Amino acid sequence: MAKKLTVVFRQAKIPASGNIVVLVGTDGALGNIGKEVDARHDGLLSKSIKAADFKGSAGSTMTVWTPGKTRVNRCLLAGVGKPEDGAEQSWLDLGGVVIAALSSGDAKAATILLEDPEGKDISGDQAALVAMGMTLRAYKFDQYMTGDKAKKARAKSLPKIEIATANTAKAKRRYTAHAAVAEGVNLARDLVNEPANILGPVEFANRAKALSKLGVDVQILNEKDLSKLKMNSLLSVSRGSVKPARLAVMRWNGAKTKSTAPVAFVGKGVVFDTGGISLKPGAGMGDMKGDMGGAAAVTGLMHALAARKARVNAVGVIGLVENMPDGDATRPGDIIKSMSGQTIEVLNTDAEGRLVLADALWYTQKKFKPKITIDLATLTGAILVALGQDHAGLFSNDDELSTQLAAAGEVTGEKVWRMPLGKTYDKMIDSKFADMKNIGGRWAGSITAAQFLKRYVNESPWAHLDIAGTAMNSPDTKINRSWGSGFGVRLLDRLVADNYEK
Ligand code: BES
Ligand code: MN
Ligand code: ZN
């Protein structure tokens, strides 16, 4: 569970005591504030930069002890290189690097003197991003540790942070929104990190329900409701599990009029994926507790939108099931009838995500007639083969929506890469016995999975994000050390902010 990091913004004045953080640019350049600090300490900063050959490249840090005339005796130099214009990433990363360095140096409090060492104006926006980067990096999931292990993990409390900036009012304003998004990311991380014995479909639905305290209208459909709606495709996945399925519907109405068509987000929420009767091999199966990364991102996003009171109508629909083998589980060869009326021959019970999404997508489009629909799913191992962990796969029937998503990916660093769709791929899921089968051939596994989903969306703009490579088991970054990354929350929040808010 994320510890609360306190950040306050204050005027850009050098404090008289405590720990301070000074930014350093390319080739060890100090900005005006840095120079002032240096002057107050008899040139210790500039001398140390020279002595250590500190280059000031982004991500690097160095501690300079500054005992002497003032009561500031520790100064953390943080390299920012040449911060890129418009890119959020460099400021988020700076926040991440600084909080990590301060925590490992046991600082109880620190003031960050924010400036561009090259003299360019820094607005409150960057200050807010630095604070957000800190919140994201400070996230920890350590509540299941006990004894010495727990003591070690929790020994360090987070330092109290002050960010000194020329534009405190704007920084504060922007940070309320950024903090809301960071909370959403950390919520998504929590959900992905939780094991399936703790977070089953019912417990997940309860977490979604908790968003009602932010003004989100949350409705939970139980198995009886789902049967009535004829969601047999979704229900076929949870047949083998003793944990009953749920569908959570979250609605945030932030637009001027309630009747404005919403933007819709649909998430795969397989709380654990054993593969079912088409059982997965044992090695690495534990990772499948993260097979609800899509649903987690949708929930985190709804939290973010509501908490920052986004001026948009948004719907989040998540299909929550557990995929287990059992005497009553769905068998390979079974034919089921989805809510849409289309029949599916289930040839592999491990291709279950698309079965969940088929009904969730159909329901969402029918019920809400959204402007756009985006689904997120840890859908295929094949997307890892194609793109690794650096991009999510993007599949879409709409060029404009794809362009918007790619742009949001560039600013947030949650990158997407568009993959093709087409008739030839679609043919690969035709079935001998039913309208379609749930697997394609040996090749193009991520594409045939997307083609399957496409049969459950109408002609309105839709995008599918395959996040199997990006939602979990994430490589370390400057703003993420969590197994569950929360991928998708910042991406889609940005998509909404840039394109769908008035
Ligand atoms: N949940 C998996 C996909 C996955 C794999 C997510 C690795 C994260 C990491 C999905 O349900 C699955 O099992 N897909 C199969 C599809 C196949 C049976 C057509 C796969 O990718 O092997
Ligand atoms: Mn599977
Ligand atoms: Zn799965």
Side-chain angles (χ1 to χ4, degrees), residues 268 270 272-275 278 280 284 287-288 290-292 323 347-354 377-384 438-441 445-446 448-449 466-473:
K268 168 181 174 182
V270 177
F272 195 82
D273 180 15
T274 63
S278 315
K280 286 182 181 295
D287 282 357
M288 286 302 112
D291 207 19
M292 24 56 69
N323 187 21
L347 284 179
N348 189 323
T349 63
D350 196 13
E352 85 297 341
R354 64 199 76 181
T378 49
L379 203 62
T380 65
I383 203 66
L384 271 144
N438 76 330
I439 46 168
S446 304
T448 50
D466 193 334
I467 59 172
T470 52
M472 58 179 131
N473 223 339

Side-chain angles (χ1 to χ4, degrees), residues 45 90 374:
L45 296 195
S90 32
I374 299 177

